[in-house]
Amino acid sequence: MSPLDTPEKHVDAGDGVGARLTRLDGALKVRGETRYALDQPVAGLVHAVLLHATIPAGRIRRIETAAAGAAPGVLLVMTPDSTAPLAAASSWLGEPPQQPEYRALDHRIRYNGQQIAAAVAETLEQATEAAALLAVEYEAEPAIISLDDPAGGGGLPLDPLAAEWGDAEAALAAAPVRIEAEYRTPREYQMAIEPHGLIAEWGRDADGETLTIREPSQWLDGMARTYAEWFGLPFEKVRLISPYIGGGFGSKALALPHGAIAAIAARRLGRPVKLALTRPQIFTGYGGRPATRQALALGATQEGKLLAIRQRGWNETALDAVWAEPLGSATAIMYAVPNFSSRQNVVPVHTVPPGAKRAPGENPSAYGLECAIDELAYAVGADPLAIRLLNYAEQDPQTQKPWSTRRLREAFAAGAAAFGWQRRSHAPRSMRDGPLLIGWGMAAGTYPVRRTAGEAMVRILADGGVEVATSASDMGTGAYTILAQAAAAAVGVPVADVRISMGDSRLPRAPVSGGSQMAGLMMGAVDKAARAAREELIGLALSHPASPLNGVANTLQVAGGRLSAPRGEGPTVTIAALLRATGRDSVEALRDTLAENKLGPADHYRNFTTISTMRAPTDGDFSMHSWCAHFIEVAVDEDFRTVRVRRVVSAFDSGLLYNPKLAESQIKGGIIMGIGQTLLEEGVVDARHARVLNNNLGDYLVPTNADIPDIRVISVGVPDPHASALGGKGVGELGIVGVAPAIANAVFHATGQRLRELPITLDRLIG
Ligand code: MCN
Ligand code: MOS
């Protein structure tokens, strides 16, 4: 069922771009009527269950499969011995693979929780039982446990991430005020409520094999490419279907080992295979945000004006894959600083390759920087807001390019006014509410504008409806809704007349829904296709001999589903009547925005199936970013040291908002995730087995309703014509950036305790 088939009337007037529409798929989701990947009815499917390694490093000597193979209902037992390797796929950048083969099941163990075998059976229970009957003999080797393990050493420098201007060392040495501190964040996990998993189904067409994958996906075209390369199929023979996603937060953009395993099993059995990861398996099905450590040194004048920033960052990565969590990304653009030095190292440890979690880089980067700025404010006796204004960057300090738009000053002002910041007393422990210590903290955040070309098809139908089609997916962001708004506005029909098809790789192409780029680029593509379709329609109306509007004017307007002369004089004709009169079923336009990115037709496939054409925020004449300022009140129980967030006011600049209600909801979601990150979330790694001990939602804590206070979100953005076709900047990841330091700073204000490691838990506050 398409979200737009729902009987509810969502909107009356004014439902174009910028309108506060309720999300069109909302009612379906609340009623449980949306079918997620694993809910899809597929006839004759069988079930696969994975077995995971219980040691972090070494080799599998043997897996005893006899008992599992003989268990009731078992169809297939897959081990590294019995599973032939696939062809290796190119990287997400489109680089050719380094090895010719890809082993989704391997003898070599690189992390605890690595998938090492699978059992496939008629029922889930039978497969679960069979997987439990597999007996594994290992040859264990010593493991590098975590970022703190001395065996990891200082890590490998990532030179492309280094940034340097002026002379930071000399300026630091000469600075009257110096702040030096180290900040740390633990492993964090995306923990979308919908588990990872898929249904893999092989078929045949006239040319040979086809593969259909029903799997939640932030990037249908990229994942379809990977499956195609693994199995040596033409890209068109793989179909990825992902109409709804129960959250991804960065974890669902790539085809993963469990996907390969399910597809191999389905091919061997000639039956569709369903594989759902259990919650513990999700912790190593795709990596979370790696643990990070950063050493920051700020040099400043007595007044707190920055003279230098030196930053050194380390993040853990896997042994055979480099994942960078760029800790200097916010550091380099937030403040006007004449001398700067930033370096990044990755430390390989025995872990699943870490991955993308909401604002990779900017999030821990802003945590360190915005805490250090607060420390500087206290060192020089300045208000934390005043010191940020004193160091306000009027242009990008690194590239010296002008900002496209930067309404951070306005965000500070609006946030401070709504929060009542001027009523704050500066000294730590100076505000109370009975037995509670009250703390007011603030911090700024940012996220870059990323850009890739998009593609969309818009079809105006004989019944007056408008169809929009794109392989882009909606993981809860509201994409269905805003793309309908774009098409409605550009064609000239009410949103209620728009039908959207998304989340199918057979549809016109879309790049990854990541880096908060999707809304901006797809709004541009849908707008372009919809305008082209409207032009077609107008051309038909003016020139077709049977059109009632033939020759009435040079051009026509389309509004409310009716065509008329520009000033409304003369006849008006509904779209449906026009198509009927002219004998047409539809008028359609397929458009991409490649040319805007200076890409030709040859780049079409690469643009959508790799991230190699994604443009940097400083590619062009401007430096383009979204900005935000968080103001947060905490209450800390003096005796028990429990921390509650009591109030959040956040002001943000994401340019034009396509749908302010949805954009605010995105920012709130980021803030809620940030509260979890600051007070609750921590993947605890067992020092002996390098296993994440709390790999379930009972022990890995994420916020619940009771943890979340009133959150007020204020938009201060203005349309940014450089950032995107319609003037919006990214929203999805911005809200989480700066929440952790705002809370940490509030906890300092409440208690006088400066904790430099997340999460801020009561044992650390007592300790
Ligand atoms: N929006 C808007 N005006 C703008 C920009 C965006 O109204 N100028 C609104 C729209 O409703 C749009 C949404 O914000 O659908 C997000 O747009 P955008 O910032 O372009 O982000 P993407 O569409 O690329 O979505 C991905 C982004 C990322 S990278 C992560 S991580 C994340 C996020 O979105 N994961 C999410 N938000 C999430 N929200 C939900 N519910 N679930 C996730 O997994
Ligand atoms: Mo978002 S972490 O870029 O999917």
Side-chain angles (χ1 to χ4, degrees):
M1 185 192 259
S2 145
L4 296 147
D5 294 341
T6 49
E8 264 86 16
K9 190 150 173 54
H10 298 280
V11 281
D12 296 316
D15 54 12
V17 175
R20 302 184 69 91
L21 254 65
T22 296
R23 84 185 58 201
L24 301 174
D25 47 348
L28 279 183
K29 284 187 171 169
V30 170
R31 291 200 299 260
E33 288 172 18
T34 36
R35 282 224 167 111
Y36 294 86
L38 295 175
D39 305 333
Q40 300 296 324
V42 175
L45 60 73
V46 296
H47 299 263
V49 167
L50 293 175
L51 183 71
H52 281 189
T54 54
I55 64 164
R59 287 187 65 78
I60 293 170
R61 192 179 291 144
R62 211 172 84 83
I63 300 182
E64 177 51 60
T65 60
V74 173
L75 302 164
L76 179 66
V77 176
M78 297 167 72
T79 67
D81 285 322
S82 67
T83 307
L86 301 174
S90 40
S91 75
W92 67 342
L93 279 165
E95 294 157 340
Q98 285 165 356
Q99 284 104 28
E101 292 181 339
Y102 172 65
R103 291 175 189 275
L105 294 172
D106 199 354
H107 291 98
R108 174 143 299 283
I109 307 291
R110 298 173 187 82
Y111 54 94
N112 199 323
Q114 178 179 318
Q115 41 292 105
I116 53 172
V120 190
E122 294 286 351
T123 69
L124 175 62
E125 292 74 13
Q126 290 168 335
T128 305
E129 167 73 4
L133 291 172
L134 292 166
V136 187
E137 277 175 42
Y138 298 102
E139 264 167 56
E141 288 167 16
I144 308 169
I145 303 293
S146 68
L147 199 52
D148 293 326
D149 190 332
L156 321 164
L158 288 184
D159 292 335
L161 292 182
E164 208 81 43
W165 64 87
D167 184 344
E169 291 306 332
L172 272 174
V177 178
R178 235 183 350 246
I179 299 291
E180 290 199 47
E182 188 171 293
Y183 302 91
R184 307 170 69 97
T185 66
R187 284 189 196 171
E188 297 160 8
Y189 296 88
Q190 298 85 356
M191 289 303 113
I193 290 305
E194 180 199 24
H196 283 261
L198 70 156
I199 300 170
E201 183 178 17
W202 289 84
R204 277 202 163 269
D205 67 10
D207 319 318
E209 281 184 308
T210 62
L211 174 60
T212 301
I213 301 281
R214 294 173 173 83
E215 181 172 12
S217 174
Q218 295 179 230
W219 188 15
L220 286 97
D221 296 309
M223 285 173 62
R225 172 186 57 77
T226 306
Y227 281 104
E229 290 182 18
W230 277 343
F231 289 97
L233 295 173
F235 175 72
E236 293 70 26
K237 298 296 171 189
V238 177
R239 180 178 184 191
L240 223 107
I241 304 176
S242 178
Y244 296 103
I245 307 174
F249 307 111
S251 71
K252 290 176 177 165
L254 302 176
L256 296 168
H258 59 260
I261 293 165
I264 293 171
R267 193 190 219 175
R268 276 176 58 179
L269 292 170
R271 291 178 70 177
V273 170
K274 180 172 183 168
L275 194 167
L277 299 196
T278 63
R279 187 56 63 176
Q281 290 175 340
I282 291 171
F283 283 75
T284 52
Y286 178 77
R289 195 194 305 284
T292 74
R293 179 155 72 82
Q294 56 174 324
L296 267 169
L298 309 186
T301 65
Q302 293 293 0
E303 296 72 44
K305 199 155 175 53
L306 284 167
L307 300 169
I309 298 179
R310 183 186 63 211
Q311 195 253 13
R312 300 289 178 260
W314 294 263
N315 74 259
E316 57 183 8
T317 189
L319 289 194
D320 54 353
V322 172
W323 174 264
E325 182 82 23
L327 294 160
S329 49
T331 327
I333 64 161
M334 220 59 206
Y335 297 105
V337 59
N339 302 286
F340 185 87
S341 168
S342 163
R343 308 260 171 80
Q344 172 102 6
N345 279 21
V346 290
V347 181
V349 310
H350 285 89
T351 173
V352 61
K357 179 175 175 184
R358 217 168 192 168
E362 284 76 17
N363 173 316
S365 178
Y367 164 61
L369 177 68
E370 291 293 300
C371 285
I373 292 286
D374 199 72
E375 299 204 34
L376 176 63
Y378 277 89
V380 301
D383 177 82
L385 174 54
I387 203 160
R388 287 174 168 84
L389 293 171
L390 179 69
N391 289 293
Y392 198 81
E394 302 292 349
Q395 61 172 14
D396 181 336
Q398 181 173 11
T399 61
Q400 315 256 322
K401 289 184 184 182
W403 307 116
S404 56
T405 48
R406 192 196 209 219
R407 309 252 312 158
L408 180 57
R409 196 179 265 124
E410 290 78 359
F412 285 141
F419 187 82
W421 184 258
Q422 77 286 354
R423 297 197 310 275
R424 178 179 184 270
S425 65
H426 183 72
R429 303 180 63 88
S430 62
M431 293 172 71
R432 279 187 166 270
D433 178 359
L436 301 173
L437 298 165
I438 302 300
W440 287 10
M442 65 156 303
T446 182
Y447 195 82
V449 173
R450 303 184 197 278
R451 292 157 295 163
T452 310
E455 184 178 69
M457 195 278 298
V458 172
R459 183 182 286 145
I460 303 172
L461 300 166
D463 65 2
V466 171
E467 237 176 64
V468 180
T470 162
S471 70
S473 56
D474 182 334
M475 60 175 153
T477 49
Y480 273 116
T481 310
I482 58 166
L483 297 183
Q485 290 176 256
V491 174
V493 298
V495 165
D497 289 347
V498 180
R499 279 158 242 168
I500 295 217
S501 303
M502 293 178 72
D504 184 333
S505 65
R506 292 220 172 133
L507 298 172
R509 312 235 162 276
V512 65
S513 167
S516 302
Q517 66 162 1
M518 233 261 301
L521 77 95
M522 285 310 304
M523 290 297 276
V526 169
D527 180 68
K528 187 171 177 178
R531 283 170 190 278
R534 184 190 57 189
E535 286 315 307
E536 281 276 322
L537 186 74
I538 291 172
L540 181 73
L542 289 175
S543 60
H544 195 284
S547 162
L549 294 166
N550 186 338
V552 301
N554 291 329
T555 186
L556 300 171
Q557 64 171 9
V558 188
R562 305 178 79 87
L563 294 99
S564 61
R567 281 182 301 281
E569 72 277 16
T572 78
V573 180
T574 64
I575 292 173
L578 172 69
L579 292 183
R580 215 179 308 122
T582 57
R584 292 283 293 263
D585 292 335
S586 64
V587 166
E588 70 176 63
L590 172 68
R591 289 290 182 279
D592 65 48
T593 56
L594 290 166
E596 283 92 323
N597 279 8
K598 303 188 181 69
L599 297 170
D603 294 304
H604 191 268
Y605 177 71
R606 196 165 59 92
N607 180 76
F608 297 112
T609 60
T610 74
I611 59 161
S612 61
T613 56
M614 188 188 274
R615 293 173 73 193
T618 51
D619 174 12
D621 296 335
F622 298 92
S623 182
M624 307 196 279
H625 311 262
S626 294
W627 307 97
C628 66
H630 301 291
F631 295 82
I632 294 183
E633 175 177 315
V634 300
V636 183
D637 186 290
E638 170 108 71
D639 300 317
F640 296 111
R641 299 276 139 174
T642 46
V643 180
R644 309 280 309 174
V645 173
R646 291 222 301 196
R647 207 154 63 86
V648 180
V649 175
S650 299
F652 71 107
D653 165 17
S654 288
L656 175 100
L657 302 183
Y658 308 124
N659 180 324
K661 186 172 187 173
L662 294 174
E664 288 163 16
S665 149
Q666 283 288 298
I667 296 288
K668 285 181 185 172
I671 292 166
I672 291 166
M673 217 165 180
I675 292 173
Q677 172 186 35
T678 316
L679 300 178
L680 300 168
E681 290 188 49
E682 176 176 25
V684 178
V685 185
D686 164 22
R688 197 145 49 113
H689 301 295
R691 181 185 174 86
V692 178
L693 290 173
N694 53 344
N695 61 356
N696 60 77
L697 285 176
D699 296 312
Y700 183 87
L701 302 180
V702 295
T704 63
N705 277 342
D707 297 303
I708 301 307
D710 181 46
I711 299 175
R712 181 155 170 219
V713 173
I714 304 164
S715 166
V716 297
V718 293
D720 183 333
H722 309 293
S724 65
L726 302 192
K729 302 190 280 188
V731 167
E733 293 165 282
L734 177 67
I736 196 173
V737 184
V739 174
I743 297 174
N745 296 340
V747 169
F748 171 76
H749 184 233
T751 64
Q753 286 172 277
R754 187 66 81 176
L755 295 189
R756 300 188 181 88
E757 181 168 10
L758 296 182
I760 298 173
T761 47
L762 71 112
D763 56 311
R764 287 186 175 140
L765 278 168
I766 290 169

